[in-house]
Amino acid sequence: NAGVTQTPKFRILKIGQSMTLQCTQDMNHNYMYWYRQDPGMGLKLIYYSVGAGITDKGEVPNGYNVSRSTTEDFPLRLELAAPSQTSVYFCASRTGGNEQFFGPGTRLTVL
Amino acid sequence: AQSVTQLGSHVSVSEGALVLLRCNYSSSVPPYLFWYVQYPNQGLQLLLKYTTGATLVKGINGFEAEFKKSETSFHLTKPSAHMSDAAEYFCAVSDLNAGNMLTFGGGTRLMVKP
């Protein structure tokens, strides 16, 4: 199993540009999550999904959108990038035993 | 709302010394508690978790944590630090009302001196 994979690893965006961060898991987990990690702040939940076709907002959803058309994929969309979205983004999926598995992260810089 | 507080954003110990990383939480329901480790430029890896049952939980790499309900604490310990333990450690609590989302503490960076 590859676990949770994320692409790209790094990206630099200009203010106002759009992009999609990809996340795929091969563990057949229903629950998936997107977090952002800012220095010294721990991780904050952006969006989560409890299964294909079902998504909900987390703590910091503004400026982001998600979709979940399949069990495996949970992409995160930034429509109008802002400097405040400079962060490291982690995708995770969860087992029935409540353990979350994290991807390696995407480091995004908005200039 | 749940919250997690990790005392000490940086902890430095000598190799072979005891490691103690502190975590206190607030939760209105019985919590699920977790410790994750993050090595540089990597994702988070689960060290250990408490759900129900025995309050002393053993994890990977010789770490353990004790759930103390009366103190709302879940401190992480390791008897003897190794250089390879240098990393950032995150305590987290699970919210059963929001897709089991994790609320994280701010993290503690552990440095191990030779």
Side-chain angles (χ1 to χ4, degrees), chain A:
Chain A
N1 285 352
V4 180
T5 57
Q6 293 182 239
T7 56
K9 291 191 187 312
F10 305 94
R11 184 73 185 269
I12 298 175
L13 283 182
K14 294 182 179 179
I15 294 171
Q17 287 186 317
S18 301
M19 76 164 294
T20 299
L21 283 66
Q22 301 291 346
C23 174
T24 300
Q25 54 96 4
D26 62 359
M27 297 173 282
N28 202 33
H29 292 164
N30 285 324
Y31 286 77
M32 295 187 73
Y33 308 83
W34 273 106
Y35 295 90
R36 59 176 287 171
Q37 183 181 29
D38 300 316
M41 300 293 290
L43 280 74
K44 300 287 187 183
L45 182 69
I46 305 171
Y47 271 94
Y48 68 99
S49 170
V50 302
I54 307 170
T55 63
D56 207 347
K57 297 177 180 179
E59 298 176 80
V60 290
N62 292 345
Y64 306 95
N65 276 301
V66 293
S67 59
R68 185 93 182 272
S69 57
T70 66
T71 299
E72 295 77 19
D73 300 307
F74 190 40
L76 178 71
R77 178 87 178 157
L78 283 71
E79 290 293 349
L80 292 170
S84 61
Q85 293 177 304
T86 294
S87 189
V88 182
Y89 292 84
F90 289 100
C91 179
S93 68
R94 182 174 75 85
T95 69
N98 208 28
E99 177 180 345
Q100 290 193 21
F101 290 86
F102 286 80
T106 294
R107 188 174 296 273
L108 175 67
T109 302
V110 182
L111 300 174

Side-chain angles (χ1 to χ4, degrees), chain B residues 81-92:
Chain B
H82 192 273
M83 296 297 290
S84 61
D85 295 327
E88 186 142 23
Y89 292 80
F90 292 94
C91 183

Side-chain angles (χ1 to χ4, degrees), chain B residues 10 18 26-27 37 41 52 55 57 60-61 68 70-71 76 90 96-97 106 109 114:
Chain B
H10 292 79
L18 172 72
S26 68
S27 175
V37 61
N41 299 315
T52 59
T55 57
V57 180
I60 62 172
N61 301 337
K68 292 187 176 180
S70 61
E71 299 177 6
L76 181 71
F90 292 94
L96 301 181
N97 295 322
R109 183 167 298 279

